Amino acid sequence: MSEHPLPPGSARSTPDWSATAGLAPGAAPAPASAPPEVRAESAQPAQPGFATPPRRRSVGMLVLAVIGFVVLGVVALVVGLYLLAGLGPAGLVIGAIMALVPLAIVFAGIRWIDRWEPEPRRALAFAFLWGAGMSVLIALVVDAEIRNVVAMAGGPSEAFEFFGAAIQAPIVEELGKGLGVLILFWTVRRHFDGPVDGIVYAATVAGGFAFTENILYFGTQLAEGGLLSGGTIEIFFIRGLMSPFAHVMFTAFIGAALGFAARRSGALAGLGLFLVGAIPAILLHAFWNGALFFVGDFYGYYLLVQVPMFLIAVAIVVALRKQEQRLTAVRLGEYAAVGWLHPQEVAMLATPAGRRTAQAWAARHGVPGLMRAFIRDATRLAHARQRILGGREGIGAHVDEAELLHRVAASRHALMSGRATP
């Protein structure tokens, strides 16, 4: 938290960076054939109708989740009290309102990335709370300890300010944020299928961290200059509008690296790639913070360096999303070949245009929730099969496949029945 007070912190020819993991379409054994009654129904494409059975919940994971949320809730309260003591009620409230603007921008970006195969809301809530609370607390504790040591050695200097912004903050903050993504990698492996998932979790953690950090910066500037001062307007413009994705871009390297690790079996597979991803995250963070000490024209530096980097990041995410779409088409095509789905449904489920058409139809007929559930379950089914083919049966891929096949088949039955309903 010891940063400078102004800026913050197609495609079959496309390289296969997603969870396809180099598997050749059609090379793997086909899934089990659908039962005769399912085959009979899948001979025609289904239409939206009624509801699907709820998924079973693991009691152990539920207890673990409750404990995790309680701990993060307490930590968030501690951080909130720290901000209240330092900024006062007015500074905290107004700073939080201002910080909602960049947070909304980040959430819009995460929703765009996560649209194809949405991650569980509980996991995203955990990621946000970790970023907004635990990672901030880690940064504050480490900063306080280092400042105590420096004070005993004679007090801070200009060199210490550079150290804090360009070395300490990048290392501590990226490792603190990345730890939350690593915990999710270990606890929600069934929903951690590739780089896109990792980027979504990392972006959510980073968005939470930036939200709390922005409250601190905005509140501090408000106390020094007031709401309409030049300093407050500038810091809001730079942190809130120009660089809301700064922390997201840093931590996304860790998320993407863990996404690649998710394609391997074994709970410890993520440790090595976690460190690999942390290196560029720290270096990019250090470059962003450290440049402020040497660059005279910040806005020129932003346009020449940061904007191109952001555009490159967007292009990479677009390529990764195309790979997810291709994976969905290939894997669901395997289920259609053995009678679980109609080929037209694969086109509907595995293309953005098909999904838009289906959701528009469902909205007109008053069943948008069922269509969303059908698309979601079928997409997760494709990823469950990918986990099986990738040798990750140990994390419950076969159980997930059986349950999702049941849900998809039950959904199709309800949809087919719904067509005959007046």
Side-chain angles (χ1 to χ4, degrees):
M1 301 292 290
S2 56
E3 297 182 30
H4 195 277
L6 279 178
S10 132
R12 288 188 177 273
S13 60
T14 304
D16 192 356
W17 297 326
S18 74
T20 49
L23 293 172
S33 296
E37 62 273 17
V38 176
R39 276 182 171 275
E41 288 190 343
S42 65
Q44 303 178 62
Q47 301 292 335
F50 303 107
T52 56
R55 297 199 68 183
R56 297 188 302 271
R57 302 293 180 184
S58 167
V59 175
M61 289 302 298
L62 181 60
V63 172
L64 185 62
V66 170
I67 294 173
F69 277 109
V70 169
V71 171
L72 290 182
V74 172
V75 170
L77 178 61
V78 171
V79 172
L81 292 174
Y82 169 84
L83 294 176
L84 179 63
L87 304 176
L92 175 60
V93 172
I94 298 175
I97 293 173
M98 295 172 66
L100 287 174
V101 174
L103 180 64
I105 296 173
V106 168
F107 276 1
I110 293 172
R111 187 175 184 275
W112 171 72
I113 298 172
D114 196 33
R115 181 176 298 176
W116 189 257
E117 189 219 358
E119 306 308 315
R121 293 181 180 178
R122 290 183 181 85
L124 294 177
F126 179 93
F128 178 78
L129 288 174
W130 182 279
M134 185 65 76
S135 59
V136 171
L137 182 63
I138 292 172
L140 289 173
V141 170
V142 172
D143 185 61
E145 291 300 320
I146 291 178
R147 288 187 178 276
N148 287 337
V149 172
V150 171
M152 291 187 292
S157 63
E158 185 175 344
F160 171 73
E161 294 302 324
F162 176 79
F163 168 83
I167 299 176
Q168 173 193 325
I171 293 175
V172 175
E173 292 176 9
E174 294 311 318
L175 291 180
K177 290 182 289 181
L179 181 59
V181 186
L182 184 61
I183 290 174
L184 288 168
F185 172 82
W186 283 331
T187 57
V188 293
R189 289 294 299 277
R190 293 179 176 181
H191 302 284
F192 212 123
D193 292 303
V196 173
D197 293 350
I199 290 172
V200 168
Y201 290 127
T204 307
V205 171
F209 182 91
F211 174 67
T212 301
E213 188 180 59
N214 281 334
I215 294 175
L216 180 60
Y217 278 106
F218 295 158
T220 300
Q221 187 61 46
L222 285 167
E224 294 177 357
L227 180 60
L228 299 180
S229 69
T232 301
I233 294 173
E234 183 178 26
I235 196 172
F236 176 77
F237 179 69
I238 292 175
R239 294 185 64 95
L241 302 179
M242 288 180 62
S243 56
F245 292 102
H247 276 287
V248 170
M249 290 179 60
F250 308 151
T251 315
F253 282 96
I254 297 176
L258 287 173
F260 286 114
R263 303 190 311 198
R264 304 181 180 183
S265 59
L268 297 180
L271 283 176
L273 284 177
F274 167 78
L275 296 176
V276 170
I279 293 173
I282 292 169
L283 291 178
L284 187 63
H285 196 154
F287 178 67
W288 171 260
N289 287 357
L292 302 178
F293 289 85
F294 305 105
V295 174
D297 181 7
F298 168 77
Y299 295 100
Y301 157 77
Y302 175 84
L303 291 174
L304 292 176
V305 178
Q306 294 300 324
V307 170
M309 290 176 62
F310 176 75
L311 294 177
I312 292 172
V314 172
I316 292 174
V317 170
V318 170
L320 291 172
R321 288 185 59 191
K322 287 182 178 180
Q323 294 292 346
E324 280 206 329
Q325 294 167 18
R326 189 181 77 169
L327 179 148
T328 304
V330 171
R331 298 300 168 230
L332 291 184
E334 295 169 1
Y335 288 108
V338 293
W340 287 102
L341 295 167
H342 189 279
Q344 290 183 13
E345 292 168 352
V346 176
M348 179 195 80
L349 294 165
T351 63
R355 290 185 174 191
R356 286 194 296 269
T357 300
Q359 289 170 337
W361 191 99
R364 291 195 302 270
H365 290 77
V367 286
L370 176 60
M371 179 57 75
R372 286 194 299 269
F374 185 54
I375 293 173
R376 181 194 63 230
D377 289 339
T379 307
R380 289 179 177 175
L381 176 63
H383 283 278
R385 175 152 176 81
Q386 186 65 31
R387 291 195 294 273
I388 293 172
L389 299 180
R392 292 183 288 148
E393 302 94 333
I395 59 173
H398 282 296
V399 174
D400 285 347
E401 181 191 42
E403 182 176 343
L404 288 166
L405 281 172
H406 170 71
R407 287 174 58 80
V408 169
S411 177
R412 293 195 82 268
H413 179 73
L415 303 174
M416 299 296 287
S417 301
R419 287 195 304 191
T421 300

